[in-house]
Amino acid sequence: MKALVALILLVQLPIHQAVPAAPPAPLGCDDPESEAAAEFAVNYINGHSHHGYKFALNRIDNIRVLPQGLNNDVIFLELDLLETTCHILSPTPLANCTVRSFTQHAVEGDCDVKLQKRDGTLSVLASKCHSHADSSEDVLQLCPDCPLLASLNNTDVLTTVTAALNDHNSKTADAYLRLLEIGRARIQHHPAHSVSVEFAVAATNCSAEEAKTNVEACQLLPEEESNFGFCTATRVIRPSEDLRVDCQLYGHQVPTPDTPFPCQDTSAGLLPSAAQGFTNHNLRLSHNNPVASESSSSEFPTSVLSAKSVAKRAVAEVAQHDKVPRPVGFVPPPPPCPGKIRHFKI
């Protein structure tokens, strides 16, 4: 009797049961789709910065994708960036910009970016960034004689910038240049006491010769004729005074929809950074898209893990996998995040 009941129940079972689809594998930090999203985000960050230098991607710390519907995803990125030698006003493509070396007292940027990918097209919904210089102790440990970043309002820094700009304007027959902002400065005490500075400039409507008689009348060129530039200078204070200056103008840049010029509104002049009193321009970019839909809130979810948490979880997962017997030669897959370091870790 029991056998008959079991047979009847077996017959009543559906022949084909629907198997729920497995959720898609989490996107890895080094996947092509992740790298494309990160590249878009970095270009956006550089395109909306108005001070300091362009930043390059160093590592994707974390990525999270939230499906919003058919062909519509929201992507959360945590990015590590490094400062390059290209000022934000420079027309040089980011791919051709050199990341500052560790011994040049590197500056790191940390960014959280929220993207939307709709029908294959990316857009930025929100972004939060900040940056900080590497510690002086780390630099000196590797390079005891390397010059360290100095405050932008340091007296020796201000004196060097003024002397360098005056020196350039006194020796040129071209346009008179005005200071826009001090980009960075480093001071070295041994074997010689020297100050190295970098600063952004802009051409005025006066020649250097005309400025000698009435410098107050020299105004920055209007936007349609704007011409920005960049200067580097080194001033040796001891054992003997010496000054070396190099200024280059970029020429007038015409922004296009495909390659927006980041500082086209700076014809009014970037505020000189001397009063800030910091060693580097903070990548303090915060943006929220006012037209973001409710389903794509501009807030970053608390469930997006920090890079350290992700790394710890990945190590724990690999360790757990190692407890399970594996075929000979089995190599556990690498954790999906954080991704590879492209330059160096601060």
Side-chain angles (χ1 to χ4, degrees), residues 235-285:
R235 171 174 160 251
V236 178
I237 301 175
R238 289 186 300 271
S240 60
E241 281 280 347
D242 181 51
L243 179 64
R244 289 168 289 170
V245 184
D246 179 44
C247 292
Q248 301 290 331
L249 289 176
Y250 300 134
H252 177 56
Q253 301 296 315
V254 180
T256 66
D258 295 329
T259 56
F261 190 53
C263 297
Q264 53 188 304
D265 62 345
T266 55
S267 55
L270 291 169
L271 294 177
S273 62
Q276 293 184 3
F278 301 105
T279 60
N280 64 282
H281 290 278
N282 190 2
L283 188 62
R284 194 174 295 155
L285 176 68

